[in-house]
Amino acid sequence: MSKVRFQQWSCFLLFFGMIFLASCGSKEEPPVSGTFQLAEIEINGVVNAASYAEVDPNLHVTLTFSDNVDPNTLQNNITLQPTTAGQAVALTYHTEGNTVAIQSTTPLNQFTAYRLTINTGLKSVSGNPISTGKIYTITTGIDPVDKFPRISDEELLTLVQKQTFNYFWDFGHPVSGMARERTTSGNTVTTGGTGFGVMAMIVAVERGFITKEEALNRIQTIVTFLETRTTRYHGAFAHWIHGETGETLPFSTYDNGADLVETSLLFQGLLTARQYFNSDAAGEIKLREDITRLWEEIDWTWFQKEDEKVLYWHWSPQHEWHQNLKIQGWNESLITYLLAAASPTYPISKEVYDEGWARNGGMRNGASYHGITLPLGPNYGGPMFFAHYSFLGLNPNGLKDQYADYMEQNRNHAMINYSYCVENPQGYSGYSEHCWGLTASDGNQGYSAHSPTNDRGVIAPTAALASMPYMPEESMRALHFFYYKLGDKLWAEHGFVDAFNLSENWFDNQHIAIDQGPIIIMIENYRTGLPWNLFMGIPEIQAGLTKLGFQQRKN
């Protein structure tokens, strides 16, 4: 090899030797800043999602990093807060090498959005800060843990009836015996709600919650108060009454007199009681006579307003017909026309029913919603109480006239309400096949007649539970959800609270008579048909149905 070539080769080896040594030296130096990072996040079994929905409120988070974590930097740099205003959630941290297990010290609120933040102050044991902070959105779902021990469905139905009945028994006014409007109503008692309460007492006797004598005494107190102390208007009663004096309490500015629909709901209950207390005992004879006398004094024809072919809802001595509200279908008021036609003293004609209530067929719907045809009423059926109030005593099974099959009407209405909630077009939290039911109730924005066309995210237990005769499987699923899954929020001394809104994490603390009553009564109609059998056995009711052209299926 020539001298020149040797020198060239030596320089070549020296150059690559220096590169090799430099390379070996770099491996011994500490890692450069920025290599500490989050490798994996797992929340309740779901790995590396951008956000997490329907998370179990009993939160479990596992974070896996590229290096072991300095535990002293965890508390201030891994935090959980509600996305709305609220204090940070208390967390526990358990480190094992490069893994951190995190739990909330108490369950999170259900159906609530939280923000899990990993700040850049988090460091590895070698002192490197995490390269990039992270924020994850977590939305909780239902706490799957049962809040009460499981019992049979029959036991659960009895429990619901018994505890809900306590509202009417405990909140009956001490003077009048009538049902208070709601938990906080004091001296304000409700006419229609009292009718529901009377029917609930009959169920309570048959279920062994109270004795027959106790029910008789309470109902007699109510009837005596109505006859001797309560202001009446051509035989009809006001919506709200002072439970001690019997004076009318205005429901609104011009509504300070008769309310014919509330009067009808009252007498649906009183006539059922007259049918139930049918013995020759002196107390039962007196009750029957007193109820009959009140019933026969209602001048239904007066409310035709100078012989119009329609009934009017309100009248007062001061404002007369100022409200000017015709009772026209379809809504909760079929019972009003039936009782008016059945009256032995002041009956309306079938013409008033056809022209006034049915509007000569104008109350028909016939459209399809969620693939279900609705025979009568507004779009999507309206609030569910349309299918409940008139049918606490009036049995829709096999009941038909020229306008509808009434079991089909009520069942389809309930199915539409249910299907709407399952579809949940507005994306409210909690709506599902287990959680449904839109009707008039309290809400986080105040009282409203909730329905698919007035949906504010508010579910009222009475909507699904009082639909038990129409959709028993769907109603029972809802009952399981309300009691077992939300029972710590909904179940109270006097039954389920009136309503809740999971999107707003709002739960009512009130009970309302006209929502509690249908739960008890319609569950009993599902179980034994007792209220239906009593009411449909009243001779005047049978005469009224015949007069209006109803056909009935005979058992």
Side-chain angles (χ1 to χ4, degrees):
M1 181 182 294
S2 67
K3 183 177 180 180
V4 174
R5 184 175 292 278
F6 177 81
Q7 290 174 338
Q8 291 174 336
W9 182 249
S10 297
C11 290
F12 181 82
L13 291 175
L14 178 62
F15 175 77
F16 280 98
M18 291 173 66
I19 293 175
F20 176 77
L21 291 174
S23 175
C24 291
S26 68
K27 290 183 178 179
E28 296 173 357
E29 293 175 2
V32 295
S33 176
T35 60
F36 178 50
Q37 57 190 332
L38 178 66
E40 182 180 279
I41 177 172
E42 178 182 326
I43 299 180
N44 290 14
V46 179
V47 177
N48 289 344
S51 62
Y52 293 82
E54 296 294 320
V55 172
D56 187 337
N58 301 291
L59 184 68
H60 295 270
V61 179
T62 301
L63 302 174
T64 304
F65 295 91
S66 59
D67 199 354
N68 293 350
V69 181
D70 179 357
N72 296 318
T73 65
L74 286 171
Q75 186 169 354
N76 293 329
N77 293 292
I78 300 180
T79 61
L80 183 69
Q81 285 184 295
T83 56
T84 56
Q87 293 184 340
V89 176
L91 301 173
T92 61
Y93 309 85
H94 177 73
T95 58
E96 189 171 325
N98 67 335
T99 300
V100 179
I102 300 171
Q103 289 182 264
S104 56
T105 57
T106 58
L108 304 181
N109 290 328
Q110 299 175 80
F111 300 100
T112 303
Y114 293 86
R115 185 170 53 247
L116 178 67
T117 302
I118 303 173
N119 293 313
T120 54
L122 187 69
K123 294 183 179 181
S124 67
V125 292
S126 56
N128 289 322
I130 194 165
S131 58
T132 306
K134 299 280 189 180
I135 297 177
Y136 294 92
T137 299
I138 299 172
T139 304
T140 55
I142 187 69
D143 180 356
V145 176
D146 283 355
K147 306 308 181 297
F148 300 109
R150 292 272 169 168
I151 55 180
S152 72
D153 284 351
E154 285 297 302
E155 291 174 302
L156 181 56
L157 289 171
T158 299
L159 175 63
V160 169
Q161 288 181 295
K162 183 177 183 179
Q163 206 141 317
T164 306
F165 169 71
N166 287 342
Y167 176 87
F168 293 99
W169 201 244
D170 295 345
F171 280 93
H173 192 279
V175 175
S176 67
M178 296 180 70
R180 288 182 168 98
E181 168 73 10
R182 59 169 61 231
T183 310
T184 56
S185 287
N187 280 321
T188 301
V189 297
T190 172
T191 300
T194 295
F196 296 174
V198 167
M199 297 180 80
M201 289 178 211
I202 294 168
V203 173
V205 172
E206 292 299 302
R207 290 282 164 192
F209 308 154
I210 58 174
T211 67
K212 192 171 187 180
E213 183 178 5
E214 286 175 317
L216 176 66
N217 290 339
R218 177 69 66 88
I219 296 170
Q220 183 64 65
T221 297
I222 293 169
V223 170
T224 299
F225 181 84
L226 288 170
E227 183 169 28
T228 63
R229 301 182 68 173
T230 305
T231 304
R232 284 183 278 166
Y233 308 88
H234 299 275
F237 294 88
H239 188 142
W240 282 346
I241 296 168
H242 192 290
E244 188 172 328
T245 68
E247 295 174 342
T248 294
L249 296 176
F251 187 72
S252 62
T253 302
Y254 299 106
D255 185 2
N256 66 341
D259 185 314
L260 197 62
V261 174
E262 288 287 312
T263 299
S264 304
L265 300 176
L266 171 65
F267 276 86
Q268 181 177 217
L270 291 179
L271 291 174
T272 301
R274 191 188 69 173
Q275 186 73 3
Y276 180 70
F277 292 97
N278 61 359
S279 79
D280 292 333
E284 296 192 24
I285 292 172
K286 174 176 170 49
L287 180 65
R288 293 198 301 271
E289 291 175 347
D290 290 351
I291 291 172
T292 298
R293 190 163 53 251
L294 286 173
W295 153 239
E296 293 181 352
E297 288 176 0
I298 303 170
D299 187 350
W300 302 92
T301 56
W302 167 265
F303 292 91
Q304 289 181 228
K305 188 184 173 184
E306 300 178 358
D307 207 31
E308 291 185 29
K309 303 304 181 186
V310 65
L311 292 173
Y312 279 80
W313 205 301
H314 310 95
W315 181 84
S316 85
Q318 293 80 23
H319 307 293
E320 297 188 332
W321 306 103
H322 186 279
Q323 293 280 90
N324 202 40
L325 181 59
K326 297 177 180 180
I327 306 174
Q328 295 182 308
W330 178 253
N331 53 38
E332 74 273 30
S333 307
L334 175 60
I335 190 68
T336 303
Y337 278 85
L338 173 58
L339 291 177
S343 170
T345 49
Y346 299 98
I348 63 167
S349 66
K350 185 177 188 302
E351 187 180 18
V352 176
Y353 174 77
D354 289 327
E355 293 187 21
W357 169 249
R359 292 177 283 132
N360 292 317
M363 67 176 178
R364 290 192 179 99
N365 185 303
S368 177
Y369 307 92
H370 302 282
I372 303 159
T373 300
L374 182 68
L376 305 175
N379 291 342
Y380 288 88
M384 273 312 306
F385 73 87
F386 287 4
H388 301 151
Y389 288 4
S390 283
F391 298 95
L392 301 179
L394 181 60
N395 187 351
N397 283 291
L399 187 68
K400 303 177 183 179
D401 68 1
Q402 66 193 87
Y403 305 108
D405 176 318
Y406 289 91
M407 178 52 84
E408 179 188 14
Q409 164 66 26
N410 293 342
R411 182 183 290 120
N412 288 9
H413 182 185
M415 289 173 63
I416 290 166
N417 197 288
Y418 166 82
S419 299
Y420 172 87
C421 291
V422 172
E423 184 177 295
N424 191 16
Q426 298 198 46
Y428 287 117
S429 295
Y431 282 28
S432 71
E433 63 178 346
H434 303 279
C435 183
W436 64 277
L438 307 178
T439 195
S441 71
D442 281 349
N444 54 298
Q445 300 178 51
Y447 191 89
S448 186
H450 305 109
S451 72
T453 57
N454 179 37
D455 183 10
R456 304 181 181 185
V458 176
I459 298 293
T462 187
L465 302 187
S467 297
M468 195 75 69
Y470 310 137
M471 299 176 62
E473 291 183 11
E474 292 82 356
S475 294
M476 189 62 72
R477 278 203 301 268
L479 174 55
H480 285 181
F481 183 84
F482 299 152
Y483 181 75
Y484 292 118
K485 303 305 181 184
L486 290 181
D488 57 331
K489 304 287 188 181
L490 300 183
W491 187 243
E493 182 181 358
H494 298 98
F496 291 109
V497 298
D498 194 57
F500 60 95
N501 185 334
L502 295 177
S503 291
E504 301 294 332
N505 199 31
W506 174 84
F507 300 89
D508 203 359
N509 61 0
Q510 295 280 305
H511 304 284
I512 301 177
I514 56 173
D515 287 343
Q516 297 300 90
I519 293 174
I520 307 162
I521 299 162
M522 292 302 268
I523 286 177
E524 192 61 35
N525 277 325
Y526 163 69
R527 298 179 81 178
T528 67
L530 172 67
W532 282 341
N533 293 337
L534 288 169
F535 186 79
M536 297 298 279
I538 298 169
E540 296 102 310
I541 296 305
Q542 284 299 315
L545 289 168
T546 300
K547 179 178 183 178
L548 296 181
F550 281 89
Q551 301 173 18
Q552 302 171 66
R553 184 177 64 216
K554 301 298 182 181
N555 294 329

